[in-house]
Amino acid sequence: MAISKEVMAVGLIVVAVVAFAAGLFTSPYIIPPEEKPETMWDVIQKRGTIKIGSSPDWPPYEYLNLTTGEFIGFEVELMETIAERLNLTVEWIEMTFATIVEEVKAKTIDMGISGFSVRPDRLEVVQFTMYHSITEGQVIMLKSRRDALGITEIDSLAELDTLGLSCGAQGGTTQEGELDEEAPGALRTYADYILALADMKRGAIDSVYAETPVTTEWIYLAEEAGEEPLVVIYKRPYYPV
């Protein structure tokens, strides 16, 4: 009988120790639970402002109001509407297109909005929203330059090299990557497309490779301003990955 009491006593002590230890881990007054790390969304909500990096040279998606210097365009209005519904204000930060993904990765900005194509290499480092446009890559040039060369259309980007034509593209864009791969001799890289377009119009380069609806906008604006017509000599359909 004495042995069974001792066994029972040991059993009670063990149970008591286990119960006490369990209490240590379950009681918030003894050992508080670990705090969850603050997410980017938590930071944005506390701040009340969402910081967005953009290269405002991509009409009609985003560009600058020449009078006020404010960001305007389809993606700008879309983001402003979303932010309003989330009770946030938008801080637009101008930067070159090529630096936006790196700034998102470094968390110096919360989001990048600049007409980004969804690509596998970008998906490895950043997240995308649902796509809102299906675009077409287009090489454009002055009509007079096209006529002087005696061409109408080309069948591939590689023909730019064959014909000895120079072609501008903005650094970090899908179009720059395609030219670098298929027509490296033609490629002229620019910090933004505004500079590339200006160089083409003054004859410093032969053509510019961008995508719709931006190229469509350039063609329309040139016509409205009574400038020399711009024409498309190459097109490539795109579809989101």
Side-chain angles (χ1 to χ4, degrees):
M1 198 64 183
I3 293 174
S4 63
K5 283 186 178 179
E6 288 176 3
V7 171
M8 182 178 289
V10 171
L12 288 174
I13 292 170
V14 171
V15 170
V17 170
V18 171
F20 178 72
L24 284 175
F25 288 101
T26 57
S27 173
Y29 301 104
I30 301 174
I31 299 178
E34 290 185 14
E35 292 186 7
K36 292 183 179 179
E38 197 170 45
T39 65
M40 179 68 78
W41 177 237
D42 293 331
V43 173
I44 292 169
Q45 285 185 301
K46 284 183 181 179
R47 191 197 302 140
T49 301
I50 184 165
K51 298 179 179 180
I52 298 178
S54 184
S55 180
D57 53 6
W58 207 231
Y61 289 135
E62 48 272 317
Y63 54 107
L64 294 178
N65 182 312
L66 297 179
T67 302
T68 64
E70 294 178 329
F71 278 67
I72 54 176
F74 169 71
E75 287 189 321
V76 175
E77 292 182 16
L78 179 62
M79 187 61 230
E80 293 281 0
T81 300
I82 293 170
E84 184 179 354
R85 294 190 179 188
L86 295 173
N87 295 317
L88 298 172
T89 57
V90 179
E91 179 184 349
W92 293 98
I93 303 172
E94 184 175 351
M95 57 184 62
T96 61
F97 182 83
T99 62
I100 294 174
V101 170
E102 293 304 315
E103 295 295 334
V104 170
K105 287 167 60 179
K107 298 184 180 180
T108 54
I109 56 175
D110 305 316
M111 182 183 293
I113 294 180
S114 215
F116 279 95
S117 298
V118 181
R119 297 190 332 217
D121 59 323
R122 290 174 177 165
L123 284 168
E124 290 179 1
V125 292
V126 294
Q127 291 181 317
F128 280 87
T129 64
M130 291 179 61
Y131 63 85
H132 55 64
S133 304
I134 296 176
T135 63
E136 178 179 83
Q138 293 186 341
V139 175
I140 63 170
M141 65 190 315
L142 293 172
K143 182 178 182 298
S144 62
R145 180 62 175 152
R146 182 201 65 179
D147 293 345
L149 292 168
I151 62 174
T152 51
E153 292 185 355
I154 59 176
D155 297 321
S156 68
L157 291 176
E159 285 189 55
L160 292 170
D161 269 357
T162 304
L163 294 169
L165 300 179
S166 53
C167 188
Q170 183 167 285
T173 61
T174 299
Q175 290 72 43
E176 183 202 31
E178 291 175 356
L179 284 171
D180 188 45
E181 181 178 345
E182 300 176 44
L187 175 61
R188 303 292 185 273
T189 299
Y190 287 82
D192 63 60
Y193 268 115
I194 293 174
L195 297 175
L197 189 63
D199 264 7
M200 185 187 71
K201 288 183 177 181
R202 68 183 182 86
I205 58 174
D206 297 305
S207 59
V208 171
Y209 185 32
E211 62 187 300
T212 58
V214 180
T215 48
T216 309
E217 181 86 354
W218 290 340
I219 292 168
Y220 168 76
L221 291 175
E223 182 181 352
E224 285 292 293
E227 298 176 356
E228 186 172 352
L230 303 177
V231 292
V232 178
I233 64 165
Y234 172 79
K235 57 182 67 175
R236 167 180 289 181
Y238 287 140
Y239 190 77
V241 177

